[in-house]
Amino acid sequence: MNIEDLMTEEKILLHADIHTKEEMIEQLSGLLTGGTDSKTKSRLMKEVWKREKDGFTAIGNSVALAHAVSDIISEVSIVCIRSEHEIDWAPQQHVNKNRMVRLVFLFVIPEIMVDDEDREELEVLKQVVLKAGRTEIVQGLLKAVDKEEFRNIISG
């Protein structure tokens, strides 16, 4: 399994007109759930917000790595949205220089897989995390003109 297997074009949204963290988490949750079931989307949003309250998920370079463990999905999932606007990702009490983001990945792991560290999918998520921490890769992702170019950069 590789990044392309988990991050299909349907799981990427570029050129999004998103201004707030709240809008971003709502859009990410909708993208991950396919936007068809508002109850599932709402539940996923609550799980992402629960994790966001536990810690700061922006990593610098205009990137945040939101994540959640959930019993509403059956397989490891990843989606990504790139906003046209910088979004303040930090809680009010943080005065962190890494608080502004444009590129947000959402990783969701099924609850039943939490202790299964040997899963191929979890290795793929680790690869994405490592790449999201590299300035030259992030710069390419922020400039990618389409989803195909985006996927080539993140999986390259």
Side-chain angles (χ1 to χ4, degrees):
M1 175 167 284
N2 55 41
I3 293 173
E4 296 96 349
D5 296 329
L6 282 182
M7 189 174 280
T8 61
E9 287 191 12
E10 297 80 31
K11 295 182 178 186
I12 300 168
L13 178 59
L14 305 178
H15 313 293
D17 186 24
I18 297 174
H19 297 269
T20 67
K21 185 174 183 176
E22 290 78 12
E23 288 177 90
M24 180 61 84
I25 288 176
E26 180 177 356
Q27 291 293 319
L28 287 162
S29 299
L31 190 59
L32 193 133
T33 60
T36 55
D37 181 2
S38 62
K39 194 176 195 178
T40 302
K41 176 183 165 185
S42 178
R43 215 165 128 207
L44 179 59
M45 285 173 54
K46 287 178 186 172
E47 291 167 356
V48 173
W49 277 112
K50 179 182 175 196
R51 173 57 189 93
E52 285 295 317
K53 287 181 171 106
D54 289 343
F56 189 56
T57 59
I59 63 167
N61 288 331
S62 298
V63 177
L65 301 173
H67 49 286
V69 174
S70 177
D71 65 351
I72 61 174
I73 62 161
S74 58
E75 57 189 37
V76 173
S77 299
I78 181 173
V79 293
C80 183
I81 297 179
R82 185 181 72 195
S83 177
E84 292 296 311
H85 314 282
E86 284 193 324
I87 298 167
D88 190 347
W89 203 255
Q92 284 304 96
Q93 68 270 26
H94 283 273
V95 234
N96 190 314
K97 65 179 180 175
N98 296 328
R99 68 185 304 140
M100 302 307 284
V101 302
R102 286 191 51 222
L103 188 62
V104 183
F105 293 88
L106 172 60
F107 306 117
V108 182
I109 300 169
E111 202 166 46
I112 60 170
M113 288 186 194
V114 169
D115 295 324
D116 188 1
E117 294 181 15
D118 294 331
R119 298 285 306 205
E120 273 186 286
E121 298 92 333
L122 299 180
E123 287 303 314
V124 172
L125 295 183
K126 290 176 189 175
Q127 290 174 25
V128 174
V129 169
L130 291 173
K131 290 178 182 215
R134 295 184 47 205
T135 302
E136 66 277 7
I137 291 176
V138 172
Q139 290 306 309
L141 295 173
L142 290 171
K143 294 175 185 173
V145 295
D146 58 29
K147 293 177 183 184
E148 181 179 0
E149 181 181 4
F150 188 96
R151 287 180 72 224
N152 288 337
I153 293 168
I154 195 70
S155 61

